[in-house]
Amino acid sequence: MKIDSNFKPVGSGSVSGSRPKAESAGARADAPAAEVKISTASAQLAGASSGAPVDGARIAEIKQAIAEGRFQINAEAIADGLIATARDLLNSQRKA
């Protein structure tokens, strides 16, 4: 694929009223640092993925079952799990 170096995104250029350019880091040394707040749900998701145990043997077993066509999906168990997760999420948001 050839990339055209003449292409300019719609928002670029010297259009009046466009967003102001960011100041350099040294220009405003006295300015306070930006404050970022993470929602409770986002923090829970970030924490859940970092320490989740991974069972490589179980993963290999499932891959083999899929390849052999003997993997069975239990839709009821999946639906129950989704409902329980949604319920937990709603309850945690009500408490916050």
Side-chain angles (χ1 to χ4, degrees):
M1 172 194 330
K2 183 177 178 182
I3 298 175
D4 183 6
S5 62
N6 296 324
F7 175 75
K8 293 187 180 172
V10 176
S12 68
S14 59
V15 178
S16 65
S18 64
R19 290 187 283 174
K21 295 186 183 213
E23 296 181 22
S24 66
R28 296 271 326 233
D30 62 332
E35 185 176 330
V36 176
K37 294 183 181 181
I38 298 176
S39 70
T40 306
S42 177
Q44 288 174 345
L45 287 174
S49 63
S50 63
V54 177
D55 186 352
R58 179 71 175 137
I59 292 171
E61 182 182 331
I62 292 170
K63 281 184 176 183
Q64 184 66 30
I66 291 170
E68 294 173 358
R70 57 181 175 82
F71 183 76
Q72 302 220 351
I73 297 173
N74 185 345
E76 187 175 330
I78 294 170
D80 289 344
L82 285 172
I83 291 170
T85 301
R87 187 178 298 124
D88 292 344
L89 181 60
L90 288 172
N91 287 336
S92 69
Q93 287 179 348
R94 288 182 186 151
K95 292 177 186 177

